[in-house]
Amino acid sequence: MATRMERPQEGGCEELESFLQSLGNEIKDSDDADEETYDLYAQDLPSADLGIIDPKATELQLTVAGRELTIHQSPGILSSARAGGTTGAVTWRITPLFATWISSASNPLFTHLNLLNHNNALSSSPSTTTTTTTVIELGAGTSAIVGLLLAPRVGRYVLTDQAYVSKLVERNINENWSSAVQQQQQQKTSLVGSGGSGSNGQGGKGKKGGAGGKWSKKAASSSSSSTGDKILATEEGPGERLVFRALDWEQDTPTSSLAQPVAASFDLVVACDCIYNEALVDPFVATCVDICKLRGNNGGRPTVVVVAQVLRTSDVFEAWIKRFVQDFRCWRVPDDKMIDGLKSEGGGGGTSGFVVHIGVLREGR
């Protein structure tokens, strides 16, 4: 029978409070949200495009935290009139930077909260996972980049978005899993570049199969009925460790089945460049609340929400931050805990144009 190593929860709330205190001042209410908006948008935002890496390429060759990835995307879907949005069809500039930061050994989420196994990309035992950390990504789009970097070191990583992205997500997992795991095993710590070295992705057209390594979904699913066999991940395929599930914020309610068979709730909610329209604010925050409520009142550490954004229009950001603090305690991740390229306050009053916030559901919500 396959076994799983449980991560101790005792003292988890104390660890969380220590982590939150290390982030500095809390954004407590609407007045603080106004001040946060002013502080960020009073700076000189970059004039360069912070949007899509390459809106015309169907294939990108990216180096992300030292991993060579071949990412497929769909400019056709992006330019279509599809109802319900098309922005998830391509890869955005913030994604490789965010993936590098959140998967690094020095990331405060993991140095303080011990959520990530950095000793081995996969367990040395083929029947044992070394962590039961569960992560869900909202609005993941097609690239699967964040999941490819984090999934080998957690118990379960669930990519979610609208159903139209599923084909490309599965293709990107298929063609990148083997190389991502092999390269991760060769590095005891993620590469956090100085001046952006190793942390920025360069988009462009390239040859197929540049990242190498394919896996069969049929082969990845064990014929055994044991839970441990079903979650087994190898260099050939992620099994149940990295999966895609359709989740529409306006139509669907998250349930514990998303975290199973590893757990019944999530340790971490990740969202990268999902808030670009005021109409998305309420359903996004409501979905975050629903996911955090899955944790229940079992005395364990609350679910942590990580939201990375591009600083586009102040109206959209202000709408999000004011709505978010109604249900969540909130902090901005300070620059001394970020990598170059993601720092929200640059020299000379400038900024990278990106920002990352941490949220924890308020008691009684």
Side-chain angles (χ1 to χ4, degrees):
M1 175 69 71
T3 60
R4 292 178 285 131
M5 183 181 296
E6 297 291 340
R7 188 185 65 258
Q9 287 293 329
E10 185 176 355
C13 292
E14 289 79 5
E15 290 177 351
L16 177 60
E17 287 302 321
S18 175
F19 163 65
L20 296 176
Q21 289 176 16
S22 75
L23 299 178
N25 295 329
E26 180 179 353
I27 305 167
K28 297 180 179 180
D29 51 29
S30 182
D31 288 340
D32 286 348
D34 282 333
E35 184 175 347
E36 175 75 348
T37 304
Y38 177 81
D39 287 346
L40 289 172
Y41 284 88
Q43 303 177 94
D44 293 328
L45 295 176
S47 57
D49 177 27
L50 290 171
I52 305 167
I53 291 177
D54 188 336
K56 297 181 179 179
T58 58
E59 184 178 286
L60 304 174
Q61 300 291 336
L62 303 178
T63 301
V64 185
R67 283 77 169 172
E68 302 294 331
L69 305 176
T70 297
I71 302 299
H72 301 276
Q73 58 179 18
S74 177
I77 294 178
L78 177 68
S79 60
S80 72
R82 178 190 174 277
T86 61
T87 55
V90 292
T91 304
W92 297 76
R93 293 187 185 279
I94 189 175
T95 304
L97 287 164
F98 178 73
T100 297
W101 172 74
I102 199 169
S103 65
S104 69
S106 60
N107 185 287
L109 287 163
F110 308 121
T111 57
H112 285 72
L113 301 182
N114 194 30
L115 290 174
L116 189 65
N117 168 33
H118 271 293
N119 293 323
N120 296 288
L122 293 175
S123 170
S124 58
S125 169
S127 61
T128 304
T129 59
T130 58
T131 175
T132 56
T133 297
T134 48
V135 185
I136 185 168
E137 182 176 350
L138 301 179
T142 58
S143 75
I145 291 173
V146 183
L148 285 164
L149 267 64
L150 279 186
R153 288 171 171 160
V154 301
R156 182 171 173 84
Y157 193 104
V158 183
L159 299 153
T160 69
D161 207 315
Q162 296 181 62
Y164 79 92
V165 306
S166 62
K167 184 176 180 179
L168 279 172
V169 169
E170 291 174 359
R171 184 179 181 185
N172 284 325
I173 295 172
N174 181 339
E175 296 190 14
N176 290 286
W177 176 260
S178 179
S179 60
V181 169
Q182 289 169 2
Q183 292 172 61
Q184 219 156 332
Q185 287 175 328
Q186 294 169 3
Q187 301 176 9
K188 290 185 178 180
T189 59
S190 297
L191 299 178
V192 182
S194 176
S197 175
S199 64
N200 61 327
Q202 299 298 322
K205 295 182 180 179
K207 296 180 180 179
K208 287 187 177 181
K214 296 186 178 182
W215 65 279
S216 163
K217 286 200 292 181
K218 181 177 181 181
S221 299
S222 171
S223 59
S224 170
S225 61
S226 74
T227 299
D229 288 338
K230 288 180 180 179
I231 67 171
L232 176 63
T234 68
E235 289 186 11
E236 287 71 40
E240 286 290 310
R241 190 172 288 193
L242 177 60
V243 298
F244 172 80
R245 296 289 183 266
L247 181 67
D248 186 310
W249 305 339
E250 295 182 292
Q251 303 293 328
D252 304 323
T253 300
T255 66
S256 61
S257 64
L258 289 168
Q260 294 170 356
V262 173
S265 61
F266 290 95
D267 296 290
L268 201 62
V269 180
V270 172
C272 183
D273 202 9
C274 292
I275 296 100
Y276 49 85
N277 185 323
E278 283 193 51
L280 299 173
V281 169
D282 275 336
F284 171 78
V285 175
T287 299
C288 290
V289 170
D290 288 340
I291 293 171
C292 292
K293 284 183 175 180
L294 296 175
R295 179 54 46 104
N297 298 316
N298 57 10
R301 187 164 58 207
T303 301
V304 176
V305 180
V306 184
V307 182
Q309 297 182 69
V310 177
L311 295 172
R312 294 187 178 95
T313 67
S314 60
D315 289 346
V316 173
F317 176 84
E318 185 177 23
W320 170 76
I321 192 80
K322 285 187 172 181
R323 176 65 184 86
F324 193 68
V325 298
Q326 291 177 19
D327 289 317
F328 289 87
R329 299 173 65 196
C330 180
W331 291 259
R332 187 206 311 176
V333 179
D335 281 355
D336 62 3
K337 300 184 185 303
M338 302 302 295
I339 61 171
D340 290 342
L342 269 185
K343 294 179 178 179
S344 58
E345 294 183 0
T351 173
S352 68
F354 305 127
V355 66
V356 179
H357 288 87
I358 302 291
V360 176
L361 190 65
R362 294 184 182 277
E363 292 185 9
R365 288 292 190 259

